[in-house]
């Protein structure tokens, strides 16, 4: 392949579209003339052909560095903000890292890395660079307690679903996401903003939700994505009333009917869709009919994405999956036929598949396997429930029982709480096997959500 | 409320939820005759732990599970404060 056939991010950006920006809570940067500016102090040429660790404390400089490095570096490893520093050495060795882009140059001096480049704002003017190669994008998997796995992607794989959908109709979208763009779900949105000719509004973990929503409004956000946990938090906050996006997207966790209905009610003029994607399996599909789960005829080959269910879990083969785990002792990413096992367990009911939980998230109740998500989905159907988490608790009688922590919707009358508890239990008994019905329901003010936007299940 | 009445109230509440028809609860009624299955007892023990702060069946390694309603109530009454 000659270099001219390789499209890097810079090749999707040009000066012809005016008024494009990428912004966070502190800065607004123009994307329109981004190609003649540098966040790397003009040192991009030194990073040519290198394996670069992208280790920055903020998303804005990270995104700008991605735009510059793609097509120039040999590979770049995106470090999400919650990366345990104790894992860095192993990741640097596994990815063969020989340069770091950082905002803490002191921290990297004397670490043996041959090249340390500081990313800085404001941008400096620089002659535009030309794409040299297809850069390998390295992303870290979330949800594991040990050293995260490194999944290798190409820009082509990462943008496969975006290109397949084609350009958005109407005015250029202003995208936002509650995710961090150094995670797969957030990166998808960043790439959508770059490829769609639109703008991007980044999240900030230190910003209060009400301030974040005010900023989304001020920047005219039209398209926004987050996990169901992100969205439930927004619905609970009372801030949703001031916000009117046109497209609301959920991914990263099971989107149950309650959260889909809650968003539809909060944003009556928005289309609400949930997407299925993971760091390893890439973007599988989007569901836009307002219902949880997905139509059974999505299995088979659909738009170049092949899906099948084996032993209850969804398997995906497509050009959008990661191509390998990277590292010295990396496991195989796909089976012999090229399918990625998502570990997401689905169940066929009627003509639709429903997600019931993660294979690794099963709790054991008296020797029976239970997916906590399945219980939560039933609890969440109660109109006064905003969010819940089911987990196991030791029992001297049966070994384990199900208990649930429940957050009620704002303004629920405390006098009615006992009645709500009885209704939730009645609902669970009607729809779940008896061992899945929570033995104890606790009403709580908050549930922990990880920095990746997922309900924390570490003590489950 | 006495420990005894807390225990008896919890038994009635769970019986209602589990659609179990309880016989009259006397101290010498065997737990088997209450109609509770092991899941119902597991729920009972968990609820009482939340309410009283103790689970007498996990605290002592060698405690045999009680045979009668009276034994069950005493297990909670006899927990050292």
């Amino acid at each position: 392949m000659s270099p001219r056939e390789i499209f890097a991010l810079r090749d999707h950006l040009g000066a012809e579209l005016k008024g494009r920006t990428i912004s966070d809570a502190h800065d607004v940067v123009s994307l329109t003339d981004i190609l003649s500016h540098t966040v790397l102090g003009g040192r991009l040429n030194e990073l040519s052909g290198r394996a670069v660790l992208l280790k920055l404390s903020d998303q804005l400089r990270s995104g700008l560095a991605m735009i510059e490095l793609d097509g120039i570096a040999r590979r770049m490893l995106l470090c999400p903000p919650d990366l345990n520093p104790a894992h860095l050495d192993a990741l640097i060795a596994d990815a063969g890292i020989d340069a770091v882009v950082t905002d803490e140059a002191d921290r990297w001096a004397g670490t043996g890395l041959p090249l340390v480049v500081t990313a800085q704002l404001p941008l400096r003017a620089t002659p535009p660079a030309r794409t040299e190669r297809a850069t390998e994008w390295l992303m870290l998997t979330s949800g594991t307690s040990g050293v995260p796995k490194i999944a290798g992607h190409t820009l082509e794989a990462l943008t496969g679903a975006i290109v397949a959908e084609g350009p958005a109709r109407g005015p250029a979208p202003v995208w936002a996401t509650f995710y961090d763009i150094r995670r797969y779900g957030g990166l998808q949105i960043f790439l959508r903003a770059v490829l769609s000719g639109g703008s991007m509004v980044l999240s900030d973990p230190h910003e209060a939700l009400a301030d974040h929503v005010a900023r989304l409004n001020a920047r005219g956000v039209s398209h926004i994505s987050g996990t169901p946990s992100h969205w439930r938090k927004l619905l609970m906050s009372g801030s949703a009333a001031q916000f009117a996006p046109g497209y609301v997207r959920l991914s990263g966790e099971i989107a149950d009917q309650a959260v889909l209905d809650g968003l539809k009610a909060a944003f009556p003029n928005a289309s609400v869709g949930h997407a299925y994607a993971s760091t390893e399996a890439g973007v599988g599909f989007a569901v836009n009919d307002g219902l949880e789960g997905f139509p059974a005829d999505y299995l088979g080959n659909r738009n170049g994405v092949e899906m099948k269910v084996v032993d209850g879990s969804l398997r995906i083969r497509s050009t959008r999956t990661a191509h390998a785990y990277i590292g010295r002792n990396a496991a195989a990413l796909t089976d012999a036929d090229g399918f990625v096992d998502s570990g997401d367990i689905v169940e066929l009911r009627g003509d639709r598949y429903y997600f019931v939980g993660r294979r690794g998230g099963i709790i054991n109740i008296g020797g029976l396997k239970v997916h906590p998500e399945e219980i939560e989905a039933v609890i969440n159907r109660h109109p006064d429930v905003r969010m819940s988490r089911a987990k196991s608790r030791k029992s001297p009688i049966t070994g384990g029982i199900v208990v649930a922590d429940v957050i009620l919707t704002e303004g629920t009358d405390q006098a009615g709480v006992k009645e709500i508890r009885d209704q939730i239990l009645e609902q669970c008994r009607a729809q779940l096997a008896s061992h899945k019905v929570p033995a104890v329901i606790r009403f709580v003010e908050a549930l922990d959500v990880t920095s990746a936007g997922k309900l924390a299940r570490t003590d489950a | 409320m006495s420990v005894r009445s807390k225990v008896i109230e919890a038994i009635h509440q769970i019986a209602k939820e589990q659609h179990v028809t309880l016989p009259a609860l006397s101290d010498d009624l065997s737990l088997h005759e209450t109609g509770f299955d092991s899941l119902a007892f597991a729920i009972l023990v968990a609820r009482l732990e939340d309410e009283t702060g103790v689970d007498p069946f996990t605290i002592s390694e060698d405690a045999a599970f009680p045979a009668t309603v009276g034994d069950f109530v005493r297990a909670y009454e006899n927990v050292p404060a």
Side-chain angles (χ1 to χ4, degrees):
Chain A
M1 200 195 296
S2 86
R4 273 167 309 168
E5 292 173 74
I6 299 167
F7 274 84
L9 279 183
R10 67 172 43 75
D11 303 306
H12 294 279
L13 288 156
E16 59 276 11
L17 288 168
K18 305 296 176 200
R20 300 182 67 184
T21 61
I22 180 168
S23 61
D24 65 7
H26 311 286
D27 293 284
V28 180
V29 170
S30 164
L31 280 176
T32 298
D33 47 5
I34 194 68
L35 298 183
S36 52
H37 287 83
T38 175
V39 73
L40 302 173
R43 300 179 66 189
L44 179 62
N45 58 337
E46 295 175 55
L47 292 157
S48 169
R50 295 225 180 225
V52 180
L53 183 77
L54 202 55
K55 181 79 178 73
L56 290 161
S57 54
D58 68 310
Q59 297 183 67
L60 181 57
R61 281 176 295 181
S62 300
L64 294 167
M66 287 179 216
I67 291 172
E68 268 191 87
L69 286 167
D70 186 44
I72 305 293
R74 181 167 61 85
R75 48 169 52 161
M76 57 176 154
L77 173 58
L78 313 188
C79 297
D82 55 329
L83 175 63
N84 183 344
H87 295 151
L88 265 175
D89 286 346
L91 295 169
I92 286 170
D94 276 346
I97 294 296
D98 59 6
V100 59
V101 169
T102 181
D103 50 355
E104 301 169 302
D106 297 348
R107 142 105 182 62
W108 293 96
T111 54
L113 275 186
L115 184 60
V116 179
V117 171
T118 304
Q120 56 207 338
L121 290 173
L123 301 178
R124 284 175 35 186
T126 190
R130 201 170 288 159
T131 296
E132 299 171 1
R133 57 176 58 78
T135 297
E136 190 180 21
W137 290 64
L138 305 185
M139 309 211 59
L140 299 177
T141 58
S142 61
T144 43
S145 49
V147 181
K149 289 180 188 161
I150 306 171
H153 275 277
T154 60
L155 185 68
E156 193 178 2
L158 288 169
T159 57
I162 305 169
V163 172
E165 280 173 33
R169 284 176 292 275
V174 179
W175 277 99
T177 174
F178 294 108
Y179 282 107
D180 189 286
I181 61 168
R182 294 160 287 185
R183 289 263 182 225
Y184 191 88
L187 183 65
Q188 278 297 311
I189 302 309
F190 171 72
L191 294 174
R192 268 164 203 270
V194 170
L195 267 63
S196 67
S199 294
M200 174 88 210
V201 180
L202 299 164
S203 62
D204 179 338
H206 305 296
E207 189 175 34
L209 193 51
D211 296 338
H212 187 193
V213 173
R215 192 160 60 85
L216 297 173
N217 265 333
R219 301 244 166 264
V221 166
S222 58
H223 292 53
I224 176 163
S225 92
T227 62
S229 290
H230 286 137
W231 284 115
R232 290 187 187 104
K233 276 172 79 171
L234 178 70
L235 292 173
M236 277 186 282
S237 73
S239 300
Q242 286 91 54
F243 186 37
Y247 177 61
V248 165
R249 182 179 174 100
L250 304 88
S251 67
E253 290 180 302
I254 299 172
D256 62 30
Q257 197 59 49
V259 72
L260 291 171
D261 292 348
L263 287 170
K264 196 65 212 168
F267 306 119
N269 299 317
S271 49
V272 177
H274 56 104
Y276 178 78
S278 76
T279 308
E280 287 98 329
V283 178
F285 54 86
V287 180
N288 295 314
D289 61 8
L291 299 174
E292 62 182 334
F294 60 94
D297 62 13
Y298 277 25
L299 292 197
N301 190 336
R302 196 168 156 273
N303 309 326
V305 177
E306 290 171 85
M307 299 202 301
K308 61 181 181 180
V309 177
V310 180
D311 297 334
S313 82
L314 189 62
R315 319 272 168 127
I316 298 185
R317 177 167 72 183
S318 83
T319 54
R320 305 175 196 169
T321 66
H323 53 79
Y325 285 128
I326 309 294
R328 294 158 295 184
N329 302 307
L333 183 102
T334 65
D335 67 13
D337 296 327
F339 280 86
V340 176
D341 180 355
S342 69
D344 287 312
I345 307 297
V346 294
E347 197 173 271
L348 183 64
R349 284 174 235 146
D351 57 1
R352 230 172 150 86
Y353 275 98
Y354 296 87
F355 290 100
V356 292
R358 295 278 307 158
R359 188 194 288 120
I362 288 172
I363 55 179
N364 189 319
I365 302 298
L368 298 165
K369 289 175 179 174
V370 176
H371 289 287
E373 297 93 333
E374 181 189 7
I375 300 164
E376 291 155 12
V378 173
I379 297 173
N380 292 350
R381 267 176 227 154
H382 190 284
D384 294 325
V385 170
R386 186 55 87 194
M387 191 167 177
S388 63
R389 188 184 69 164
K391 57 185 177 179
S392 75
R393 169 165 153 190
K394 272 192 180 166
S395 162
I397 321 285
T398 56
I401 51 167
V402 175
V403 297
D405 290 342
V406 173
I407 303 179
L408 295 174
T409 50
E410 54 288 353
T412 302
D413 183 4
Q414 285 304 305
V417 160
K418 191 182 173 318
E419 195 181 336
I420 292 171
R421 182 196 314 263
D422 290 345
Q423 290 165 351
I424 292 172
L425 286 174
E426 202 53 54
Q427 199 166 295
C428 288
R429 267 191 296 275
Q431 297 174 40
L432 294 168
S434 61
H435 65 284
K436 298 178 183 173
V437 176
V440 177
I441 289 179
R442 270 199 325 161
F443 293 105
V444 297
E445 291 295 317
L447 287 167
D448 281 349
V449 173
T450 68
S451 62
K454 303 185 185 195
L455 197 55
R457 298 186 184 276
T458 43
D459 60 338
Chain B
M1 202 192 300
S2 72
V3 172
R4 169 173 292 266
S5 45
K6 275 183 190 163
V7 173
I8 299 297
E9 187 185 285
I11 292 175
H12 281 289
Q13 171 68 23
I14 292 163
K16 198 174 108 196
E17 289 171 13
Q18 299 284 319
H19 305 292
V20 170
T21 310
L22 284 174
L25 293 180
S26 63
D27 269 10
D28 53 359
L29 184 74
S30 88
L31 290 176
H32 178 70
E33 288 169 315
T34 58
F36 271 27
D37 59 10
S38 59
L39 181 62
F41 280 114
I43 296 172
L44 178 62
V45 171
R47 298 251 181 104
L48 287 172
E49 184 185 357
D50 287 350
E51 200 167 327
T52 66
V54 291
D55 169 1
F57 310 108
T58 300
I59 288 170
S60 82
E61 293 266 315
D62 53 5
F65 198 74
T68 65
V69 170
D71 293 343
F72 187 85
V73 172
R74 274 187 292 278
Y76 284 89
E77 287 175 334
N78 294 339
V79 170

